[in-house]
Amino acid sequence: MASVNKVIMKKILIVLGIIVSSLICIAFMKDQIVKSVVTAVASRVTGVPVHMDGFSMDIFDSTIHIIGFKMYNPSGFPEDVFVFCPKINIIYDRASLFKQKLHFLLVDLDLKEMVLTKNKAGKLNVDSLKIMHPSKSSPPAPMQIDLLNLNIGQIVYKDYTNGTQPGVRVYNVNRHQSYKSIPSAQQLVLLVLAETMKATAIRNAEIYGVAMMTGVAILPVAVAATFISKDSVQQIIDASFEHVYASSLEAVKRMGTITKQDASNGVIKANINGSMVALILRKSAGNKTELTISARKYMLPELDIAGGVLYQILDKL
């Protein structure tokens, strides 16, 4: 009888071992499958290789943990890491797993380092990302992020325009900011890139314009800007004419070269990224100021540049 019990117990232990091993395999495969999907989506959105050192997804407490997220440079640049996030922690809505639109309640994103690179042709790596050239044939990947906590560490700027050895500058940002209601993966990426680049003195407005044109809700104002023509953007700002003019002049000087400034008539003109940019300020009712910005390059409209200049000015106010 004892021998029979031993045989039964042995069989039970074998079955339990198989079950435990199967559960471990399923959990591992689940993480690997989801990791592959997340990596593929991130690569599709940005157009560059993406790698994660570690990925885990817990269905019971609705969390995702990503370790060592790396986004690499686009083609035409050194094969270096562009963005490095040592950890990304997410709390998600389980019900959204069965829907086309994922719902993240909280995303904690720790961006330790971004390496901005200018190649020999004078082009920045950030401008070569697929996301900077949105296509109607590639609709945004739907997503809902209720709250994003973004920690920005440092930015390294490498300039290869003067030789094989780059000039290097380092910006220690060390800033924490939070954002609400982000509706797509594209807008999440644009928000992170635009907010990180704010800390640099690099004269590049394109990313801010693309961010505005795609509806990234990161402007420090309640009312969104109005694009009034193919080359112009307009905003009513709740601030005095003098304050808006001074902030506009400061922002434009930081981005390009002033060619004309006339405070009495509310006019500022500048050359920014090879584009001729004109700012017209008018006093509005209630001590508000109407700001209109136009941008053209070789007589062609540059709405993203106009939007980017406005973004920088609003960030100064």
Side-chain angles (χ1 to χ4, degrees):
M1 187 69 178
S3 61
V4 174
N5 289 335
K6 286 182 179 180
V7 171
I8 294 173
M9 183 59 67
K10 186 177 180 180
K11 289 182 177 180
I12 291 174
L13 290 174
I14 291 173
V15 171
L16 287 174
I18 293 173
I19 292 173
V20 171
S21 299
S22 299
L23 289 173
I24 292 173
C25 289
I26 290 171
F28 178 76
M29 290 175 63
K30 176 261 297 176
D31 283 351
Q32 291 300 107
I33 292 170
V34 177
K35 177 184 176 182
S36 299
V37 172
V38 172
T39 302
V41 171
S43 296
R44 178 172 62 83
V45 169
T46 59
V48 298
V50 172
H51 172 79
M52 286 178 267
D53 293 337
F55 181 96
S56 63
M57 180 177 178
D58 194 316
I59 296 177
F60 297 103
D61 64 4
S62 303
T63 59
I64 295 173
H65 302 287
I66 297 172
I67 304 296
F69 177 91
K70 301 180 184 74
M71 188 166 73
Y72 291 87
N73 269 335
S75 176
F77 294 85
E79 295 180 0
D80 297 333
V81 174
F82 174 27
V83 174
F84 173 55
C85 300
K87 60 181 179 179
I88 302 174
N89 296 319
I90 300 169
I91 299 176
Y92 65 90
D93 178 6
R94 281 195 297 268
S96 70
L97 295 178
F98 306 98
K99 301 177 182 178
Q100 291 185 339
K101 184 176 181 180
L102 290 174
H103 180 196
F104 299 131
L105 306 176
L106 174 66
V107 175
D108 285 327
L109 197 156
D110 180 21
L111 195 160
K112 183 178 181 180
E113 184 175 89
M114 176 187 288
V115 182
L116 294 172
T117 304
K118 181 179 284 189
N119 62 17
K120 292 181 180 180
K123 190 173 183 65
L124 276 175
N125 54 355
V126 69
D127 292 335
S128 295
L129 295 176
K130 179 181 177 181
I131 198 168
M132 292 297 295
H133 309 281
S135 170
K136 292 182 179 179
S137 61
S138 300
M143 171 193 298
Q144 179 183 339
I145 298 177
D146 292 348
L147 179 64
L148 168 68
N149 292 325
L150 175 62
N151 292 309
I152 302 173
Q154 73 173 13
I155 302 170
V156 178
Y157 175 50
K158 296 182 179 180
D159 188 348
Y160 285 88
T161 54
N162 295 321
T164 56
Q165 294 300 317
V168 179
R169 280 183 280 167
V170 177
Y171 302 85
N172 291 308
V173 182
N174 298 321
R175 186 168 61 190
H176 171 84
Q177 288 181 279
S178 297
Y179 309 88
K180 295 181 179 180
S181 303
I182 302 167
S184 72
Q186 283 85 344
Q187 293 187 6
L188 171 63
V189 175
L190 282 169
L191 185 152
V192 173
L193 293 176
E195 287 296 274
T196 305
M197 283 191 67
K198 274 186 191 178
T200 72
I202 299 170
R203 296 177 178 181
N204 184 294
E206 185 175 357
I207 189 168
Y208 310 120
V210 173
M212 287 184 65
M213 291 166 68
T214 51
V216 175
I218 51 179
L219 294 177
V221 290
V223 181
T226 301
F227 296 94
I228 59 175
S229 69
K230 290 183 178 181
D231 70 342
S232 301
V233 60
Q234 188 176 88
Q235 175 78 51
I236 301 295
I237 301 172
D238 191 7
S240 68
F241 176 91
E242 292 75 16
H243 182 51
V244 175
Y245 187 89
S247 298
S248 299
L249 189 62
E250 179 186 354
V252 172
K253 281 181 178 179
R254 185 172 181 265
M255 300 173 70
T257 303
I258 301 291
T259 58
K260 179 179 180 179
Q261 58 183 91
D262 183 352
S264 60
N265 291 309
V267 176
I268 301 173
K269 293 185 178 181
N271 186 309
I272 298 176
N273 294 346
S275 296
M276 303 310 297
V277 178
L279 290 76
I280 307 296
L281 291 81
R282 296 285 182 265
K283 292 182 179 180
S284 188
N287 199 34
K288 296 181 180 181
T289 304
E290 179 187 274
L291 172 61
T292 304
I293 304 173
S294 62
R296 284 185 168 267
K297 188 173 185 177
Y298 307 125
M299 302 303 293
L300 298 175
E302 294 282 337
L303 187 58
D304 56 344
I305 297 295
V309 174
L310 177 61
Y311 178 99
Q312 289 281 62
I313 293 170
L314 294 174
D315 190 53
K316 292 285 184 185
L317 294 170

